[in-house]
Amino acid sequence: MRVLLFLASLGLVAAENGLDGWLRYAPLPCSQQCKSKLPANIVALNATETSPVYVAGTELQQGLESIYGTKTGVSHDKCKSSSSSVVVGTLEQYRKTCGAVKDIPDLEEDGFWIDTRNNRIRILGSNEKSVLYGTFEYLSMLAQGNFSEVAYATNPVAPIRWVNQWDNMDGSIERGYGGPSIFFKNGAIVDDLTRVKQYARLLASVRVNAVVINNVNANATLLTPTNIKGLARVADVFRPYGIQVGVSLNFASPQTFGGLDTYDPLDASVINWWSNITDQIYDEVPDMAGYLIKASSEGQPGPETYNRTLADGANLFAHALEPHGGIVMFRAFVYNQLNESNWDADRANAAVNFFKELDGKFEENVVVQIKYGPIDFQVREPASPLFANLLNTSTAIELQVTQEYLGQQSHLLYLPPLWKGIFDFDLRVDEKPSLVRDVYSGKRFNRKLGGSTAVVNVGTNTTWLGSHLAMSNLYAYGRLAWDPTDDSEGMLQDWIRLTFGLDKTVLNAITKMSMESWPAYENYSGNLGIQTLTDILYTHFGPNPASQDNNGWGQWTRADHTSIGMDRTVSNGTGFSGQYPSEVASVYENIETTPDNLLLWFHHVDYTHRLHSGKTVIQHFYDAHYDGADTAQTFLTQWESLKSKIDKERYEHVLRRFEYQAGHSIVWRDAIVDFYHNLSGIADTSKRVDHHPWRIEAESMYLDGYETYTVSPFETASGAIAIVTSSNDTVGTATTKIKFPSGTYDLAVNYYDLYGGQSQWKVYLNNKKVGEWIGNAEDYLSHTPSIYLDGHSATRINFRDIKVKKGDTLKIVGTPDGVEPAPLDYISLLPKGIVD
Ligand SMILES: *[C@@H]1O[C@H](CO)[C@@H](O)[C@H](O)[C@H]1NC(C)=O
Ligand SMILES: *[C@@H]1O[C@H](CO)[C@@H](O)[C@H](O)[C@H]1NC(C)=O
Ligand SMILES: *[C@@H]1O[C@H](CO)[C@@H](O)[C@H](O)[C@H]1NC(C)=O
Ligand SMILES: *[C@@H]1O[C@H](CO)[C@@H](O)[C@H](O)[C@H]1NC(C)=O
Ligand SMILES: *[C@@H]1O[C@H](CO)[C@@H](O)[C@H](O)[C@H]1NC(C)=O
Ligand SMILES: *[C@@H]1O[C@H](CO)[C@@H](O)[C@H](O)[C@H]1NC(C)=O
Ligand SMILES: *[C@@H]1O[C@H](CO)[C@@H](O)[C@H](O)[C@H]1NC(C)=O
Ligand SMILES: *[C@@H]1O[C@H](CO)[C@@H](O)[C@H](O)[C@H]1NC(C)=O
Ligand SMILES: *[C@@H]1O[C@H](CO)[C@@H](O)[C@H](O)[C@H]1NC(C)=O
Ligand SMILES: *[C@@H]1O[C@H](CO)[C@@H](O)[C@H](O)[C@H]1NC(C)=O
Ligand SMILES: *[C@@H]1O[C@H](CO)[C@@H](O)[C@H](O)[C@H]1NC(C)=O
Ligand SMILES: *[C@@H]1O[C@H](CO)[C@@H](O)[C@H](O)[C@H]1NC(C)=O
């Protein structure tokens, strides 16, 4: 166990690069009173180094030392009678070693008891991993300077508290924004599993109990003997943290990898093949959690190839896993391409259409894994109606910590308020309370299995997710998987104190911006239930509303010159609302009772339709986009106000993201309002849209070496036109005379930062350089970069307090690089207090 101690201590002294996440155990400025709370010794009631109880002892020792600066001894055998010991162990072992315990309520599987009264700390678990959970809970209190005496038991709401990695075996990660995989490289498991161990520690601290390590779009070569041995090495690293591993499988493996001539789930040779593979895996990983299956979905092979049902497909794996106690997580994300010409075609209908008739046909160890909404991780969706249609099937909810459609960790978006809106939704099955969280936890329909899973996609970046602030989502995910009633703001504040310390100003600022982040993002992306309005055909990052329509993917908006929205009513639309139990269906069926924030999800209306708020749809779009982008500007200024209170490394990292977000929120704002203004021809009553008095279009400047370029989609350039250098070895200059009154301005420049080149730009006023930058966002931002001038690459940089005189000459010199032709869109000179 030398290795473990060494690594743990390395983590503790490391720079603030994010590696320790919320487990930093920063030293507390410790008064006498707090010193008196330092336990004199630690007893961890298991001497086996791979035991989670042993790990709990080590974690305690490290944590206490880091917080108090004093090393405390750990023993494993005897129950110390000293009044200030901390004893951690299973309830059973405690009874054997220390004697009877009174007043402890019954603990469920994975539950624990924590008692810190009278300086006699006891953390007792129903099993070994829950001892570790309780230990992290205790350390979390201390690290927050919380010395209150507590005695309580806590139990999880559900047994499944998993994370999914979408890691490919070549080391890339689908929808991963924190660097390459910590698990795979070159088709195999990596040799050095240091990061896997650090990840295990973070996950265990929030009580996640299994990790599916490879992409749901699975590669069958995971099943080579070498890779199964690699999986076993990974499992060995996770096991001391009480975490099991699982794998995603490719349905066609018997044919593509096993050499059979079929993968028909009812074929005897296929059944044998999967049993054999499963036995091989359990030989190496005796406690493997199970399989995650994406079948007959988005081009993945599945049982439908052989006219078999999805239940036949799921049960194939269930039978192979059953002797070993493993479970099948079978994804409900099954849909076909559709034709938008059919008014009643609707992808949102697919999951219920495929799965409802199979209810009761799945084996007991199958869990249907359901995305929170019926489409795909959009900024706002109603709860998936499938939760109300599977009464005899175990279910789990699928969330995304990775921000696929939600700013890709380059925008701040604290997700629990979004998730909890789904968890707390009452589906009214049989006219009885049927909260989504009570369905997936198994409580509502008396299912033994059930729970949560989240796509996490951490990478090798020391920030894990690509952004320090995004880690609040991983932390809160674990907390909510344990207890979905946990409070969004309370969890957030625990995370802030653990991550950034106890300063109240820091606490308040990060709380405010995090709690505003989802409403702000929804405001400047897609409103009223129309979905995120990102580019669904390319990177899922920047704006491109037209990409939603006129293709078979079914994420449609049905926007035309007069009207917008999906008519999902039974009476005249796709019938989707009828997939909900009657009480809910009648709310959504009726435009009067549909909440504004889901209006366009359920109804197709004119832009001039009045919302309950009294505004028209189109005016709400305009107002929300301006308000959302305004909110994003405040994130930057709030963060800047914390400069002296946050270490430089993390301050600068987050600062760059907020600078970027402040600019990109304006890109979003303008793209969406211009798009719908263009489509509808309806003016903004506040006269902001298409009215930018402080803008100078690059194409209106005197150009030398630059030429105009028509940007597509048009709304991602101001006036649809940008400029680019005439070749990739021509330096371009764009010059203009300032016509604005003399004064002090902020100078904003909108440009495009493409993948595949790092252009340089320099801005001069009367030949004096006032700003310069490089187009290297692909190196420091997490989102998927673009090779085009579009809403993903559109970027804004801001130079503050530039003194300008009327008649001054403003010149920008752009030096292209690679495929990036130093593109420019426009310049704004903004008087104090104006952001446009
Ligand atoms: C100690 O831990 C090992 C490894 O987890 C486990 O097999 C063993 O049962 C534990 N012993 C006790 C007494 O709990
Ligand atoms: C201290 O922690 C306990 C247990 O989590 C909690 O109930 C209590 O509210 C916390 N006290 C403060 C002041 O945060
Ligand atoms: C699966 O992995 C193998 C080995 O790394 C690789 O050669 C192959 O291209 C991968 N297949 C797919 C579909 O990614
Ligand atoms: C799997 O099949 C192979 C080849 O048929 C055989 O050698 C091996 O013993 C089987 N393994 C298990 C665990 O059944
Ligand atoms: C598929 O199965 C269904 C029901 O089992 C049957 O009615 C149908 O004819 C089958 N189709 C084909 C192409 O085999
Ligand atoms: C969609 O349906 C329309 C009308 O039925 C038809 O004209 C068109 O070809 C179809 N498009 C596709 C891609 O099938
Ligand atoms: C489904 O559940 C209902 C209510 O619990 C029960 O009456 C019915 O027999 C079950 N059906 C199947 C196919 O399991
Ligand atoms: C009913 O649906 C048709 C398309 O089939 C659509 O054109 C019409 O506007 C809808 N009517 C109402 C009242 O929503
Ligand atoms: C979002 O937009 C609405 C409507 O314009 C506004 O009332 C609200 O304050 C905005 N919220 C944020 C956080 O931007
Ligand atoms: C919409 O954009 C097109 C192409 O850029 C343009 O021809 C048209 O005039 C615009 N319409 C409105 C109402 O702005
Ligand atoms: C982490 O990512 C940032 C950009 O997001 C990059 O600057 C840094 O080099 C990366 N660090 C590591 C260790 O990958
Ligand atoms: C210009 O682009 C070509 C083709 O993409 C490339 O081969 C060349 O290296 C580029 N030149 C510069 C100066 O970046």
Side-chain angles (χ1 to χ4, degrees):
M1 245 330 76
R2 219 177 224 132
V3 174
L4 185 138
L5 286 170
F6 174 68
L7 291 176
S9 54
L10 247 192
L12 293 168
V13 297
E16 295 285 16
N17 58 10
L19 205 50
D20 288 314
W22 53 86
L23 299 177
R24 294 156 59 251
Y25 303 135
L28 274 185
C30 211
S31 64
Q32 255 344 90
Q33 192 249 351
C34 114
K35 282 242 159 56
S36 74
K37 297 286 184 178
L38 174 67
N41 54 69
I42 298 164
V43 182
L45 293 171
N46 194 326
T48 307
E49 293 179 4
T50 54
S51 156
V53 174
Y54 186 96
V55 173
T58 310
E59 188 72 26
L60 269 172
Q61 187 181 45
Q62 299 290 327
L64 293 175
E65 183 175 5
S66 180
I67 293 168
Y68 288 101
T70 308
K71 187 153 190 158
T72 310
V74 187
S75 62
H76 301 285
D77 41 4
K78 280 213 271 307
C79 200
K80 291 277 189 319
S81 59
S82 143
S83 60
S84 71
S85 57
V86 42
V87 182
V88 300
T90 62
L91 200 48
E92 193 190 340
Q93 191 60 26
Y94 186 86
R95 287 196 171 109
K96 266 194 223 147
T97 317
C98 311
V101 275
K102 282 187 300 212
D103 308 328
I104 298 187
D106 281 344
L107 297 178
E108 290 162 28
E109 172 102 16
D110 292 357
F112 63 86
W113 165 259
I114 176 168
D115 186 347
T116 65
R117 291 171 301 183
N118 308 316
N119 259 18
R120 219 174 125 256
I121 292 129
R122 290 176 307 164
I123 297 166
L124 306 180
S126 58
N127 56 25
E128 292 212 290
K129 64 183 154 205
S130 59
V131 176
L132 188 54
Y133 299 164
T135 299
F136 279 115
E137 175 104 331
Y138 169 64
L139 284 168
S140 164
M141 283 179 67
L142 296 185
Q144 295 183 61
N146 179 345
F147 300 103
S148 49
E149 300 203 335
V150 296
Y152 60 88
T154 175
N155 294 300
V157 71
I160 295 171
R161 304 183 302 279
W162 291 25
V163 298
N164 295 173
Q165 302 294 137
W166 285 356
D167 295 31
N168 298 315
M169 295 179 51
D170 64 3
S172 64
I173 303 180
E174 183 171 336
R175 315 297 173 195
Y177 312 111
S181 176
I182 63 171
F183 295 101
F184 297 101
K185 197 175 178 177
N186 301 330
I189 303 284
V190 296
D191 291 329
D192 180 356
L193 296 175
T194 307
R195 290 297 299 271
V196 173
K197 177 170 226 137
Q198 291 163 337
Y199 189 37
R201 178 170 170 257
L202 287 171
L203 292 178
S205 75
V206 290
R207 309 171 199 172
V208 166
N209 60 4
V211 182
V212 175
I213 66 166
N214 63 315
N215 193 352
V216 286
N217 295 318
N219 189 320
T221 63
L222 182 73
L223 303 174
T224 63
T226 311
N227 283 335
I228 291 176
K229 286 226 158 25
L231 180 68
R233 285 194 294 117
V234 172
D236 290 346
V237 171
F238 275 120
R239 194 173 295 109
Y241 289 88
I243 296 169
Q244 293 170 274
V245 296
V247 291
S248 298
L249 297 178
N250 186 303
F251 203 88
S253 306
Q255 188 181 70
T256 58
F257 175 72
L260 303 187
D261 58 6
T262 175
Y263 57 89
D264 180 351
L266 300 189
D267 184 283
S269 67
V270 171
I271 294 169
N272 285 337
W273 192 85
W274 280 117
S275 305
N276 179 298
I277 283 287
T278 304
D279 294 348
Q280 285 180 41
I281 296 177
Y282 277 93
D283 280 350
E284 298 288 339
V285 188
D287 57 352
M288 197 206 38
Y291 295 145
L292 172 60
I293 310 290
K294 173 175 178 178
S296 300
S297 164
E298 297 186 326
Q300 290 297 321
E304 299 201 310
T305 309
Y306 300 96
N307 198 23
R308 309 298 188 196
T309 70
L310 294 166
D312 292 332
N315 291 340
L316 167 70
F317 301 104
H319 296 144
L321 288 163
E322 196 276 332
H324 306 285
I327 65 178
V328 186
M329 303 293 282
F330 196 81
R331 288 178 98 227
F333 190 55
V334 180
Y335 63 92
N336 294 324
Q337 293 268 320
L338 296 167
N339 187 334
E340 196 171 357
S341 304
N342 304 328
W343 187 255
D344 59 359
D346 191 357
R347 168 167 156 191
N349 284 337
V352 170
N353 287 347
F354 279 107
F355 282 86
K356 185 183 170 70
E357 64 180 24
L358 301 175
D359 190 22
K361 300 214 164 79
F362 293 96
E363 294 294 346
E364 282 299 307
N365 59 337
V366 175
V367 177
V368 175
Q369 179 170 319
I370 305 170
K371 292 194 185 199
Y372 61 78
I375 297 284
D376 195 10
F377 303 130
Q378 297 300 297
V379 71
R380 188 177 294 272
E381 297 188 47
S384 171
L386 189 53
F387 289 112
N389 284 281
L390 295 179
L391 315 188
N392 292 314
T393 303
S394 297
T395 58
I397 193 165
E398 181 177 309
L399 309 171
Q400 258 195 350
V401 164
T402 195
Q403 296 166 223
E404 176 181 355
Y405 287 94
L406 302 172
Q408 303 191 347
Q409 278 94 301
S410 294
H411 291 237
L412 174 67
L413 211 167
Y414 179 57
L415 289 159
L418 186 166
W419 297 336
K420 282 175 64 72
I422 303 283
F423 298 167
D424 292 346
F425 187 77
D426 189 349
L427 292 157
R428 304 297 300 168
V429 179
D430 296 333
E431 273 126 49
K432 293 195 190 98
S434 310
L435 304 187
V436 170
R437 61 176 144 89
D438 291 334
V439 174
Y440 70 70
S441 68
K443 196 164 126 194
R444 175 66 179 84
F445 302 124
N446 300 314
R447 307 292 313 172
K448 271 217 304 286
L449 284 176
S452 329
T453 175
V455 183
V456 174
N457 293 356
V458 297
T460 54
N461 199 276
T462 59
T463 62
W464 295 98
L465 288 168
S467 151
H468 291 291
L469 294 186
M471 287 293 270
S472 58
N473 289 320
L474 180 55
Y475 175 82
Y477 165 69
R479 297 263 308 247
L480 290 168
W482 185 268
D483 176 8
T485 69
D486 218 332
D487 172 56
S488 292
E489 189 167 313
M491 291 185 292
L492 173 68
Q493 296 202 326
D494 286 344
W495 174 82
I496 295 168
R497 283 184 288 257
L498 294 170
T499 306
F500 290 106
L502 307 183
D503 187 289
K504 282 268 178 339
T505 319
V506 173
L507 184 76
N508 292 338
I510 301 179
T511 301
K512 185 167 190 292
M513 58 178 83
S514 300
M515 294 306 290
E516 285 179 348
S517 61
W518 175 42
Y521 188 83
E522 180 179 32
N523 271 354
Y524 63 73
S525 61
N527 316 131
L528 306 175
I530 199 62
Q531 307 170 87
T532 306
L533 299 180
T534 185
D535 190 331
I536 67 157
L537 303 177
Y538 187 30
T539 68
H540 299 192
F541 178 63
N544 186 353
S547 72
Q548 312 279 132
D549 290 282
N550 299 310
N551 57 56
W553 292 103
Q555 292 184 224
W556 305 321
T557 70
R558 292 196 183 279
D560 61 21
H561 292 294
T562 56
S563 54
I564 183 170
M566 282 290 289
D567 186 339
R568 291 189 159 110
T569 61
V570 174
S571 58
N572 191 48
T574 71
F576 170 78
S577 68
Q579 291 190 342
Y580 292 93
S582 58
E583 287 179 57
V584 175
S586 64
V587 169
Y588 290 146
E589 182 72 15
N590 182 346
I591 199 164
E592 293 305 320
T593 50
T594 303
D596 282 350
N597 61 27
L598 285 172
L599 176 75
L600 302 179
W601 185 281
F602 285 104
H603 301 279
H604 184 85
V605 300
D606 285 348
Y607 293 109
T608 52
H609 173 86
R610 281 207 187 271
L611 303 169
H612 299 301
S613 72
K615 281 184 193 172
T616 61
V617 165
I618 191 73
Q619 194 58 42
H620 180 91
F621 269 40
Y622 297 153
D623 291 349
H625 277 80
Y626 274 84
D627 288 343
D630 283 353
T631 304
Q633 313 306 309
T634 70
F635 297 164
L636 175 59
T637 46
Q638 285 182 76
W639 185 256
E640 285 172 329
S641 76
L642 305 179
K643 181 164 186 178
S644 62
K645 296 172 179 297
I646 294 192
D647 55 283
K648 188 164 187 301
E649 192 168 2
R650 289 185 298 175
Y651 176 79
E652 297 291 341
H653 174 99
V654 174
L655 180 68
R656 283 195 107 168
R657 277 163 177 70
F658 280 138
E659 284 169 348
Y660 173 78
Q661 183 177 358
H664 202 236
S665 66
I666 291 175
V667 169
W668 262 103
R669 179 195 76 186
D670 290 347
I672 302 299
V673 300
D674 287 354
F675 182 84
Y676 290 103
H677 178 240
N678 181 284
L679 199 57
S680 69
I682 299 172
D684 166 26
T685 57
S686 297
K687 301 195 168 56
R688 298 154 299 190
V689 177
D690 208 18
H691 179 69
H692 305 286
W694 303 102
R695 245 177 226 190
I696 303 166
E697 294 294 342
E699 64 272 21
S700 76
M701 296 169 77
Y702 172 77
L703 305 182
D704 182 12
Y706 264 123
E707 57 191 40
T708 60
Y709 182 89
T710 304
V711 174
S712 174
F714 77 88
E715 69 277 12
T716 59
S718 184
I721 309 281
I723 60 169
V724 296
T725 54
S726 48
S727 80
N728 73 353
D729 53 11
T730 306
V731 173
T733 60
T735 316
T736 191
K737 274 212 182 327
I738 304 290
K739 298 196 180 89
F740 302 126
S742 303
T744 302
Y745 293 86
D746 283 355
L747 172 74
V749 184
N750 279 58
Y751 64 103
Y752 297 85
D753 193 330
L754 274 52
Y755 182 68
Q758 306 207 332
S759 310
Q760 291 177 39
W761 291 263
K762 290 180 178 155
V763 191
Y764 299 86
L765 258 180
N766 295 339
N767 291 323
K768 182 171 170 274
K769 193 167 74 190
V770 294
E772 65 182 311
W773 71 98
I774 297 174
N776 62 349
E778 62 273 23
D779 286 351
Y780 71 86
L781 288 177
S782 42
H783 68 82
T784 309
S786 166
I787 56 170
Y788 306 108
L789 277 71
D790 58 19
H792 319 297
S793 59
T795 310
R796 162 182 282 219
I797 191 164
N798 200 36
F799 301 97
R800 286 187 197 162
D801 298 328
I802 309 283
K803 285 200 171 39
V804 175
K805 282 205 293 296
K806 191 170 178 174
D808 279 356
T809 299
L810 178 88
K811 180 172 77 180
I812 302 195
V813 178
T815 307
D817 180 53
V819 303
E820 189 177 76
L824 283 169
D825 184 6
Y826 66 90
I827 292 152
S828 295
L829 279 167
L830 300 165
K832 271 275 155 296
I834 292 183
V835 179
D836 186 32

